[in-house]
Amino acid sequence: FLREDELYILDLMAYFMVFMAVCTFFSLLFQNVPYGRYASSVYGFPVNVKFAWFIQEMPSLFLPLALVLWTSSAKTSLLPNQLLIAMFLCHYFQRTLIYPFLIRGGKPTPFASFALAFVFCIYNGYMQIRYLSHYAEYPAYWVSHPCFIAGSCLWLVGWLMNIHSDHILRNLRKPGETGYKIPRGGMFQYVSGANFLGEITEWAGFALAAHSIHSSAFAIFTTVVLTSRAMAHHKWYINKFEDYPKSRKALIPFVI
């Protein structure tokens, strides 16, 4: 590809992701994302949950690493680009090599959900890192710009919130126990979808710091999917537990 041609394709990929976010928004009004407690055999044979998470997240770690390490680009020597690539890789290092192996129990993932997640991670991993490693241009002062600082702080807060919320969910049941319990502590004191709020915050911060249609498209898509998930979880908790905290919201503390 000529540079202009590939950048044009990367831009088209981002706009297509925004389009898919709109389509997903409307489809999720009628159907929950089919994994976890909403898994259904209608969406294909079950895949072991640890295996599914490990394989489906792999492209978002190893494809970007290959793009950075095996292709030459002056952009990867620039500090803003390095920091943004590091944020992306940091999330997916944890998501690929740590998170799946900490899962306790967990319902199998329908093959369709697993396959779609795998394809999405290839698509998004390539789009984000190819842009940052070869095309993204920032002024020399960008790392001290309020957008970069605020975005990076949001990313870090969201990443920590996501990891802490996952830790709470993993430790709800003692060894040998089964069934669902009400999560408590951390941001779960305020919202049912604390883990989802963490990830939405994370990628919103990344989008603010990266300042591109590519990062924004990812943040929009993530927000659509995880907001739907959080709302469904909240409704499920209320129906499941009579003593579910009345003050707790679905996704945004004190709001919704």
Side-chain angles (χ1 to χ4, degrees):
F1 289 124
L2 294 172
R3 281 181 55 84
E4 295 78 10
D5 291 340
E6 188 181 21
L7 180 57
Y8 179 68
I9 290 171
L10 289 170
D11 289 348
L12 286 181
M13 289 175 71
Y15 288 116
F16 181 70
M17 185 178 284
V18 174
F19 171 73
M20 288 306 299
V22 174
C23 295
T24 301
F25 171 79
F26 286 108
S27 68
L28 291 177
L29 294 176
F30 308 100
Q31 173 68 52
N32 290 321
V33 180
Y35 70 93
R37 66 192 65 174
Y38 313 109
S40 168
S41 59
V42 172
Y43 296 95
F45 61 86
V47 181
N48 176 273
V49 66
K50 289 187 177 184
F51 177 82
W53 271 105
F54 174 63
I55 297 298
Q56 74 190 32
E57 302 293 305
M58 272 179 58
S60 285
L61 177 64
F62 294 115
L63 179 57
L65 279 173
L67 289 172
V68 170
L69 298 176
W70 296 339
T71 62
S72 59
S73 172
K75 303 298 182 191
T76 54
S77 65
L78 302 174
L79 185 58
N81 304 57
Q82 289 175 340
L83 291 173
L84 290 162
I85 290 170
M87 288 180 204
F88 191 87
L89 291 177
C90 183
H91 173 90
Y92 282 104
F93 178 86
Q94 196 276 337
R95 258 301 186 250
T96 305
L97 300 179
I98 298 174
Y99 175 78
F101 304 101
L102 295 176
I103 294 173
R104 296 180 182 177
K107 291 186 176 180
T109 301
F111 179 78
S113 297
F114 161 66
L116 285 172
F118 181 76
V119 171
F120 178 84
C121 285
I122 294 174
Y123 187 101
N124 188 58
Y126 177 83
M127 180 177 73
Q128 299 300 334
I129 303 305
R130 186 69 178 179
Y131 175 73
L132 287 171
S133 64
H134 285 71
Y135 298 101
E137 295 187 6
Y138 300 100
Y141 61 80
W142 185 244
V143 293
S144 61
H145 191 279
C147 283
F148 187 87
I149 294 171
S152 299
C153 290
L154 274 176
W155 177 87
L156 181 59
V157 168
W159 185 67
L160 293 173
M161 190 193 311
N162 186 237
I163 290 176
H164 183 244
S165 300
D166 283 340
H167 172 77
I168 290 172
L169 291 173
R170 260 196 314 273
N171 290 280
L172 282 177
R173 292 189 289 263
K174 296 175 182 177
E177 286 186 330
T178 57
Y180 288 98
K181 291 187 174 184
I182 299 174
R184 301 184 189 279
M187 286 302 293
F188 283 112
Q189 293 299 110
Y190 306 99
V191 294
S192 299
N195 48 332
F196 305 130
L197 175 60
E199 192 155 351
I200 289 170
T201 303
E202 194 179 343
W203 295 123
F206 178 76
L208 182 59
H211 236 61
S212 69
I213 181 58
H214 314 85
S215 57
S216 297
F218 182 30
I220 291 167
F221 191 91
T222 299
T223 300
V224 167
V225 173
L226 296 187
T227 297
S228 170
R229 191 90 177 151
M231 301 296 279
H233 271 33
H234 187 65
K235 184 177 178 181
W236 184 90
Y237 278 126
I238 289 172
N239 292 333
K240 176 81 173 177
F241 300 101
E242 291 183 1
D243 59 338
Y244 197 69
K246 297 290 187 293
S247 62
R248 194 177 297 188
K249 300 297 184 180
L251 184 65
I252 303 175
F254 314 114
V255 182
I256 58 167

